[in-house]
Amino acid sequence: MERFLQVVVDGVADGSIYGALALALVLIFRSTGIVNFAQGEMAMFATFIAWGLYDGGRPLWVALLAAFAAAFLGGMAIERLLIRPVEGAGPLTLVIVTLGLFILVNAAAGWIWGFTNRGFPSAFPSGVVRLGGVALSIESLAIIAVLLAVVGLLGLLFQRTKVGLAMRAAAQNPDSSRLVGIDVGRMLMLGWGLAALLGALAGALVAPRLFLDVNLMGGVLVYAFAGAALGGFDSPLGAVVGSWIIGVTENLAGTYVSAVGADLKVLVPLAVIFVVLLARPSGLFGSPEVTHG
C-alpha cells in the first residue's frame, strides 16, 4: 500500500507538469480555436533562457522570472506577427503555421545552445516527507502545490478581474465584444502571452527531472495533449484533472504492468487519446460544442 500511494503521488506530480502545459493548450484553444503544436517548443526555448541566465551567474529565481517574462512577451509577439495575419484562415493553414513555428523554434534553440544535454537545477529543496510510512518527495508535493496555485490564480483572473472577463468575452463572442469597446486583438495577445508563460512554467518544472535539450518537451507535449483531450479542450479544470489521470495511470502502468514498464509508458496517453476521441470527443469536462466547426 505504501508503494502504491507513493506511485500515485509521483503520478499526480508528473500530471501537474503535464497539466501546466495542457492549460496553455486550452488557453489558446479557447481564445482562438487553435491547437498550438509549437507550445512545447516555446516552453523549451524559455527554459533554455533560464538555464543560460543561471549558467551566467544569475540566481535561479532571477533566471526563472526573466524567462517567464520573456515567454510572456514572446507569446504575445507570436500572436501579433504570425497568428493574426492568418486569423480566419482554414484549420489546415493554422496547423501548418504552428507546425512551422515548431520547427523554427526547435532549430533556433539548437543553433543558439547546441544539441547536447544539460542539467537544470530544481527550484525546490530535495528530500522527502514521511506521512504514515509513505516517503513523499518534497519536489513532488511542491509541483502539485504550484499547479493548484496556478489554477486558483487563473480562476481569480477570469472570474474577478476586468481583464479576465474581457478575455473570456473576446474568446466567446469577438463581434459583440468589439461593440462594447473591448480590444479583442489585445485580449488575444494576452491569451497567447499567458499560455506561453504557463508553458515556460511547465518547462522549468520538468527540466530538473530530465536533461535539458532541444527535445525536452516532445514527450511532455504528448501527455499534455492527452490530458487536454481527456478533460476537454475548452475546460481548464478538465485539462488539470485529465493530466492528473494521465500521470497516475502511466505511473501505475509502468510500475505494476510488466508488459508496459518504463519504456512503453508513452502508450498510455496515446491509448487515452484514441479512446476519448472515439467515446467522448468533447472530453470529460468539455462542452459538446467544441466538437463542431
Coordinates of all heavy atoms in Angstrom, one line a residue, residues 92-161:
L92 N -6.4 24.0 -41.7 CA -5.2 23.5 -42.2 C -4.1 24.6 -42.2 O -2.9 24.3 -41.9 CB -5.4 22.9 -43.6 CG -4.2 22.3 -44.3 CD1 -3.6 21.2 -43.5 CD2 -4.5 21.8 -45.7
T93 N -4.4 25.8 -42.6 CA -3.5 26.9 -42.6 C -2.9 27.1 -41.2 O -1.7 27.3 -41.0 CB -4.1 28.2 -43.1 OG1 -4.6 28.0 -44.4 CG2 -3.1 29.3 -43.1
L94 N -3.8 27.1 -40.2 CA -3.3 27.3 -38.8 C -2.5 26.2 -38.3 O -1.5 26.4 -37.6 CB -4.5 27.5 -37.9 CG -5.4 28.8 -38.2 CD1 -6.7 28.8 -37.4 CD2 -4.6 30.0 -38.0
V95 N -2.8 25.0 -38.7 CA -2.0 23.8 -38.3 C -0.6 23.9 -38.9 O 0.4 23.7 -38.2 CB -2.6 22.5 -38.7 CG1 -1.7 21.3 -38.6 CG2 -3.9 22.2 -37.9
I96 N -0.5 24.3 -40.2 CA 0.8 24.5 -40.9 C 1.6 25.6 -40.2 O 2.8 25.4 -40.0 CB 0.6 24.8 -42.4 CG1 0.0 23.5 -43.0 CG2 1.9 25.2 -43.0 CD1 -0.4 23.8 -44.5
V97 N 1.0 26.7 -39.8 CA 1.7 27.8 -39.2 C 2.3 27.3 -37.8 O 3.5 27.6 -37.6 CB 0.8 29.0 -39.0 CG1 1.4 30.0 -38.0 CG2 0.4 29.6 -40.3
T98 N 1.5 26.6 -37.0 CA 2.0 26.2 -35.7 C 3.1 25.1 -35.9 O 4.1 25.1 -35.1 CB 0.9 25.7 -34.8 OG1 0.2 24.6 -35.4 CG2 -0.1 26.8 -34.5
L99 N 2.9 24.2 -36.9 CA 4.0 23.2 -37.1 C 5.2 23.9 -37.6 O 6.4 23.5 -37.3 CB 3.5 22.2 -38.1 CG 2.4 21.2 -37.6 CD1 2.0 20.3 -38.8 CD2 3.0 20.3 -36.5
G100 N 5.1 24.9 -38.5 CA 6.3 25.7 -38.9 C 7.0 26.4 -37.8 O 8.2 26.4 -37.7
L101 N 6.1 26.9 -36.8 CA 6.7 27.5 -35.6 C 7.5 26.5 -34.8 O 8.5 26.8 -34.2 CB 5.6 28.2 -34.8 CG 6.0 28.9 -33.6 CD1 6.9 30.0 -33.9 CD2 4.7 29.4 -32.8
F102 N 6.9 25.3 -34.7 CA 7.6 24.2 -34.0 C 9.0 24.0 -34.5 O 10.0 23.9 -33.8 CB 6.7 22.9 -34.2 CG 7.3 21.7 -33.6 CD1 6.8 21.2 -32.4 CD2 8.3 21.0 -34.2 CE1 7.4 20.0 -31.8 CE2 8.9 19.8 -33.7 CZ 8.4 19.3 -32.5
I103 N 9.1 23.8 -35.9 CA 10.4 23.6 -36.5 C 11.3 24.8 -36.3 O 12.5 24.6 -36.0 CB 10.2 23.3 -38.0 CG1 9.3 22.0 -38.2 CG2 11.5 23.1 -38.7 CD1 8.9 21.7 -39.6
L104 N 10.8 26.0 -36.5 CA 11.6 27.2 -36.3 C 12.2 27.3 -34.9 O 13.4 27.6 -34.8 CB 10.7 28.4 -36.7 CG 11.4 29.8 -36.5 CD1 12.6 29.9 -37.5 CD2 10.4 30.9 -36.7
V105 N 11.4 27.2 -33.9 CA 11.8 27.3 -32.5 C 12.8 26.2 -32.2 O 13.9 26.5 -31.5 CB 10.6 27.3 -31.5 CG1 11.1 27.4 -30.1 CG2 9.7 28.5 -31.8
N106 N 12.6 25.0 -32.6 CA 13.5 23.9 -32.3 C 14.8 24.1 -32.9 O 15.9 24.0 -32.3 CB 12.9 22.6 -32.8 CG 13.7 21.4 -32.4 OD1 14.6 21.0 -33.1 ND2 13.3 20.7 -31.3
A107 N 14.8 24.6 -34.2 CA 16.1 24.8 -34.9 C 16.8 26.0 -34.3 O 18.1 26.0 -34.2 CB 15.8 25.1 -36.4
A108 N 16.1 27.0 -33.9 CA 16.7 28.2 -33.3 C 17.4 27.8 -32.0 O 18.5 28.3 -31.7 CB 15.7 29.3 -33.1
A109 N 16.7 27.0 -31.2 CA 17.3 26.6 -29.9 C 18.6 25.8 -30.1 O 19.6 26.0 -29.4 CB 16.3 25.8 -29.1
G110 N 18.5 24.9 -31.1 CA 19.7 24.1 -31.4 C 20.9 25.0 -31.9 O 22.1 24.7 -31.6
W111 N 20.6 26.0 -32.7 CA 21.6 26.9 -33.3 C 22.2 27.7 -32.2 O 23.4 27.9 -32.2 CB 20.9 27.8 -34.3 CG 21.9 28.8 -34.9 CD1 23.0 28.5 -35.7 CD2 21.8 30.2 -34.8 NE1 23.6 29.7 -36.0 CE2 22.9 30.7 -35.5 CE3 20.9 31.0 -34.2 CZ2 23.1 32.1 -35.6 CZ3 21.1 32.4 -34.3 CH2 22.2 32.9 -35.0
I112 N 21.4 28.2 -31.2 CA 21.9 29.0 -30.1 C 22.7 28.2 -29.1 O 23.8 28.6 -28.7 CB 20.8 29.8 -29.5 CG1 20.1 30.8 -30.5 CG2 21.3 30.6 -28.3 CD1 18.9 31.4 -30.1
W113 N 22.0 27.2 -28.6 CA 22.6 26.5 -27.4 C 23.2 25.1 -27.7 O 23.7 24.4 -26.9 CB 21.5 26.3 -26.4 CG 21.1 27.6 -25.7 CD1 21.9 28.3 -24.9 CD2 19.9 28.3 -25.9 NE1 21.2 29.5 -24.5 CE2 19.9 29.5 -25.1 CE3 18.7 28.1 -26.7 CZ2 18.9 30.4 -25.1 CZ3 17.7 29.0 -26.6 CH2 17.8 30.2 -25.8
G114 N 23.0 24.6 -29.0 CA 23.6 23.3 -29.3 C 22.6 22.2 -29.0 O 21.5 22.4 -28.4
F115 N 23.0 21.0 -29.2 CA 22.1 19.8 -29.1 C 22.6 18.9 -28.0 O 22.1 17.7 -27.9 CB 22.1 19.1 -30.4 CG 21.4 19.9 -31.5 CD1 22.2 20.7 -32.4 CD2 20.1 19.8 -31.7 CE1 21.6 21.4 -33.4 CE2 19.5 20.6 -32.7 CZ 20.2 21.4 -33.6
T116 N 23.5 19.3 -27.1 CA 23.9 18.5 -26.0 C 23.0 18.6 -24.8 O 22.3 19.6 -24.7 CB 25.3 18.9 -25.6 OG1 25.3 20.3 -25.2 CG2 26.3 18.7 -26.7
N117 N 23.0 17.5 -24.0 CA 22.2 17.5 -22.8 C 22.8 18.4 -21.7 O 24.0 18.4 -21.5 CB 22.0 16.1 -22.3 CG 21.2 15.3 -23.2 OD1 20.4 15.8 -24.1 ND2 21.3 13.9 -23.1
R118 N 22.0 19.0 -20.9 CA 22.4 19.8 -19.8 C 21.6 19.6 -18.6 O 20.4 19.3 -18.7 CB 22.4 21.3 -20.1 CG 23.3 21.7 -21.3 CD 23.1 23.2 -21.7 NE 24.1 23.7 -22.6 CZ 23.9 23.5 -23.9 NH1 22.9 22.9 -24.4 NH2 24.9 24.0 -24.7
G119 N 22.2 19.7 -17.4 CA 21.4 19.6 -16.2 C 20.7 20.9 -15.9 O 21.2 22.0 -16.2
F120 N 19.6 20.8 -15.2 CA 18.9 22.0 -14.8 C 18.5 22.0 -13.4 O 18.0 20.9 -12.9 CB 17.6 22.2 -15.7 CG 16.9 23.5 -15.6 CD1 17.3 24.6 -16.4 CD2 15.9 23.8 -14.6 CE1 16.7 25.8 -16.3 CE2 15.3 25.0 -14.5 CZ 15.7 26.0 -15.3
P121 N 18.8 23.0 -12.6 CA 18.6 22.9 -11.1 C 17.1 23.0 -10.8 O 16.3 23.6 -11.5 CB 19.3 24.2 -10.6 CG 19.2 25.1 -11.7 CD 19.4 24.3 -13.0
S122 N 16.7 22.3 -9.7 CA 15.3 22.4 -9.2 C 15.1 23.6 -8.4 O 16.0 24.0 -7.6 CB 15.0 21.1 -8.4 OG 13.7 21.2 -7.9
A123 N 14.0 24.2 -8.5 CA 13.6 25.4 -7.7 C 13.2 25.0 -6.3 O 13.0 25.8 -5.4 CB 12.5 26.2 -8.3
F124 N 13.0 23.7 -6.0 CA 12.5 23.2 -4.8 C 13.6 22.4 -4.0 O 14.5 21.8 -4.7 CB 11.3 22.3 -5.0 CG 10.2 23.0 -5.8 CD1 9.9 22.4 -7.1 CD2 9.6 24.1 -5.4 CE1 9.0 23.0 -7.9 CE2 8.6 24.7 -6.2 CZ 8.3 24.2 -7.4
P125 N 13.5 22.3 -2.7 CA 14.5 21.5 -2.0 C 14.4 20.1 -2.2 O 13.3 19.6 -2.5 CB 14.3 21.9 -0.5 CG 12.8 22.4 -0.5 CD 12.6 23.0 -1.8
S126 N 15.5 19.3 -2.0 CA 15.4 17.9 -2.1 C 15.0 17.3 -0.8 O 14.7 18.0 0.2 CB 16.8 17.3 -2.5 OG 17.7 17.7 -1.6
G127 N 14.8 16.0 -0.7 CA 14.4 15.3 0.5 C 13.0 14.8 0.4 O 12.3 15.0 -0.6
V128 N 12.6 14.2 1.5 CA 11.3 13.5 1.5 C 10.6 13.9 2.8 O 11.2 14.3 3.8 CB 11.4 12.0 1.4 CG1 12.0 11.6 0.1 CG2 12.2 11.4 2.6
V129 N 9.2 13.8 2.7 CA 8.4 14.0 3.9 C 7.7 12.6 4.1 O 7.1 12.1 3.2 CB 7.3 15.1 3.7 CG1 6.4 15.2 4.9 CG2 8.1 16.4 3.5
R130 N 7.7 12.1 5.3 CA 7.1 10.8 5.6 C 5.7 11.1 6.3 O 5.6 11.7 7.3 CB 8.0 10.0 6.6 CG 9.3 9.6 5.9 CD 10.0 8.5 6.6 NE 11.1 8.0 5.9 CZ 11.0 7.0 5.0 NH1 9.8 6.4 4.7 NH2 12.1 6.6 4.3
L131 N 4.7 10.5 5.6 CA 3.3 10.6 6.1 C 2.8 9.1 6.2 O 2.6 8.5 5.2 CB 2.5 11.4 5.2 CG 2.8 12.9 5.1 CD1 1.9 13.6 4.0 CD2 2.7 13.6 6.4
G132 N 2.6 8.7 7.4 CA 2.1 7.3 7.6 C 3.0 6.2 7.0 O 2.5 5.2 6.4
G133 N 4.3 6.4 7.0 CA 5.2 5.4 6.5 C 5.4 5.6 5.0 O 6.2 4.8 4.4
V134 N 4.8 6.6 4.3 CA 5.0 6.8 2.9 C 6.0 7.9 2.7 O 5.8 9.0 3.3 CB 3.7 7.1 2.2 CG1 3.9 7.3 0.7 CG2 2.7 6.0 2.4
A135 N 7.0 7.7 2.0 CA 8.0 8.8 1.7 C 7.6 9.6 0.5 O 7.6 9.1 -0.6 CB 9.4 8.1 1.5
L136 N 7.2 10.8 0.7 CA 6.8 11.7 -0.3 C 7.8 12.7 -0.6 O 8.3 13.4 0.2 CB 5.5 12.4 0.1 CG 4.3 11.5 0.5 CD1 3.1 12.3 0.9 CD2 3.9 10.5 -0.6
S137 N 8.2 12.8 -1.9 CA 9.2 13.8 -2.3 C 8.7 15.2 -2.1 O 7.6 15.5 -2.5 CB 9.5 13.5 -3.8 OG 10.3 14.6 -4.3
I138 N 9.6 16.0 -1.5 CA 9.2 17.4 -1.3 C 9.0 18.1 -2.7 O 8.1 18.9 -2.9 CB 10.3 18.2 -0.5 CG1 10.4 17.6 0.9 CG2 10.1 19.7 -0.5 CD1 11.5 18.2 1.7
E139 N 9.8 17.7 -3.7 CA 9.7 18.3 -5.0 C 8.4 18.0 -5.6 O 7.7 18.8 -6.2 CB 10.8 17.8 -5.9 CG 10.8 18.4 -7.3 CD 11.9 17.8 -8.2 OE1 12.2 16.6 -8.1 OE2 12.3 18.6 -9.1
S140 N 7.9 16.7 -5.5 CA 6.6 16.3 -6.0 C 5.5 17.1 -5.3 O 4.6 17.6 -6.0 CB 6.4 14.8 -5.8 OG 7.3 14.0 -6.5
L141 N 5.5 17.2 -4.0 CA 4.5 17.9 -3.3 C 4.5 19.4 -3.7 O 3.4 20.0 -3.9 CB 4.7 17.8 -1.8 CG 4.6 16.4 -1.2 CD1 4.9 16.4 0.3 CD2 3.1 15.9 -1.4
A142 N 5.7 20.0 -3.9 CA 5.8 21.4 -4.3 C 5.2 21.6 -5.7 O 4.6 22.6 -6.0 CB 7.2 21.8 -4.3
I143 N 5.5 20.6 -6.6 CA 4.9 20.8 -8.0 C 3.4 20.7 -8.0 O 2.8 21.5 -8.7 CB 5.5 19.6 -8.9 CG1 7.0 19.9 -9.2 CG2 4.7 19.5 -10.2 CD1 7.7 18.7 -9.9
I144 N 2.8 19.8 -7.2 CA 1.4 19.8 -7.1 C 0.8 21.1 -6.5 O -0.1 21.7 -7.0 CB 1.0 18.6 -6.2 CG1 1.4 17.3 -6.8 CG2 -0.5 18.6 -5.9 CD1 1.3 16.1 -5.9
A145 N 1.5 21.6 -5.5 CA 1.1 22.9 -4.9 C 1.2 24.1 -5.9 O 0.3 24.9 -5.9 CB 1.9 23.2 -3.7
V146 N 2.2 24.1 -6.7 CA 2.4 25.1 -7.7 C 1.2 25.1 -8.7 O 0.6 26.1 -9.0 CB 3.7 25.0 -8.5 CG1 3.7 25.8 -9.7 CG2 4.9 25.4 -7.6
L147 N 0.8 23.9 -9.2 CA -0.2 23.8 -10.2 C -1.6 24.3 -9.5 O -2.4 25.0 -10.1 CB -0.4 22.4 -10.7 CG -1.5 22.3 -11.8 CD1 -1.1 23.1 -13.0 CD2 -1.7 20.8 -12.2
L148 N -1.8 23.8 -8.3 CA -3.0 24.3 -7.6 C -3.1 25.8 -7.5 O -4.1 26.4 -7.6 CB -3.1 23.6 -6.2 CG -3.4 22.1 -6.2 CD1 -3.3 21.5 -4.8 CD2 -4.7 21.7 -6.9
A149 N -1.9 26.4 -7.1 CA -1.9 27.8 -7.0 C -2.1 28.5 -8.4 O -2.9 29.5 -8.5 CB -0.5 28.3 -6.5
V150 N -1.6 27.9 -9.5 CA -1.8 28.5 -10.8 C -3.3 28.4 -11.2 O -3.9 29.4 -11.7 CB -1.0 27.7 -11.8 CG1 -1.4 28.0 -13.3 CG2 0.5 28.0 -11.7
V151 N -3.9 27.3 -10.9 CA -5.4 27.1 -11.2 C -6.2 28.1 -10.4 O -7.1 28.8 -10.9 CB -5.8 25.7 -10.9 CG1 -7.3 25.6 -11.0 CG2 -5.2 24.7 -11.8
G152 N -5.8 28.3 -9.1 CA -6.5 29.3 -8.3 C -6.3 30.7 -8.9 O -7.3 31.5 -8.9
L153 N -5.1 31.1 -9.3 CA -4.9 32.4 -9.8 C -5.6 32.6 -11.1 O -6.1 33.7 -11.4 CB -3.4 32.6 -10.0 CG -2.6 32.8 -8.7 CD1 -1.1 32.8 -9.0 CD2 -3.0 34.0 -7.9
L154 N -5.6 31.6 -12.0 CA -6.4 31.7 -13.2 C -7.9 31.9 -13.0 O -8.5 32.7 -13.7 CB -6.1 30.5 -14.1 CG -4.7 30.4 -14.8 CD1 -4.6 29.1 -15.6 CD2 -4.5 31.6 -15.7
G155 N -8.4 31.1 -12.0 CA -9.8 31.3 -11.6 C -10.1 32.7 -11.2 O -11.1 33.3 -11.6
L156 N -9.2 33.3 -10.3 CA -9.4 34.7 -9.9 C -9.3 35.7 -11.1 O -10.1 36.6 -11.2 CB -8.4 35.1 -8.9 CG -8.5 34.4 -7.5 CD1 -7.3 34.8 -6.6 CD2 -9.8 34.8 -6.8
L157 N -8.4 35.4 -12.0 CA -8.2 36.3 -13.1 C -9.4 36.3 -14.0 O -9.9 37.4 -14.4 CB -7.0 35.8 -14.0 CG -6.8 36.5 -15.3 CD1 -6.4 38.0 -15.1 CD2 -5.7 35.8 -16.1
F158 N -10.0 35.1 -14.3 CA -11.1 35.1 -15.3 C -12.4 35.3 -14.6 O -13.4 35.6 -15.3 CB -11.1 33.7 -16.0 CG -9.9 33.5 -16.9 CD1 -9.0 32.6 -16.7 CD2 -9.8 34.3 -18.1 CE1 -7.9 32.4 -17.6 CE2 -8.8 34.2 -18.9 CZ -7.8 33.2 -18.7
Q159 N -12.5 35.2 -13.3 CA -13.8 35.4 -12.6 C -13.9 36.8 -11.9 O -15.0 37.3 -11.7 CB -14.0 34.3 -11.6 CG -14.1 32.9 -12.2 CD -15.3 32.6 -13.0 OE1 -16.3 33.3 -12.9 NE2 -15.2 31.6 -13.9
R160 N -12.8 37.4 -11.5 CA -12.8 38.5 -10.6 C -12.2 39.8 -11.2 O -12.3 40.8 -10.5 CB -12.1 38.2 -9.3 CG -12.7 37.0 -8.6 CD -14.1 37.2 -8.1 NE -14.6 36.1 -7.3 CZ -15.8 36.0 -6.8 NH1 -16.7 37.0 -7.0 NH2 -16.3 34.9 -6.2
T161 N -11.6 39.7 -12.3 CA -10.9 40.9 -12.8 C -11.5 41.3 -14.2 O -12.0 40.5 -14.9 CB -9.4 40.7 -13.1 OG1 -9.2 39.7 -14.1 CG2 -8.7 40.1 -11.8

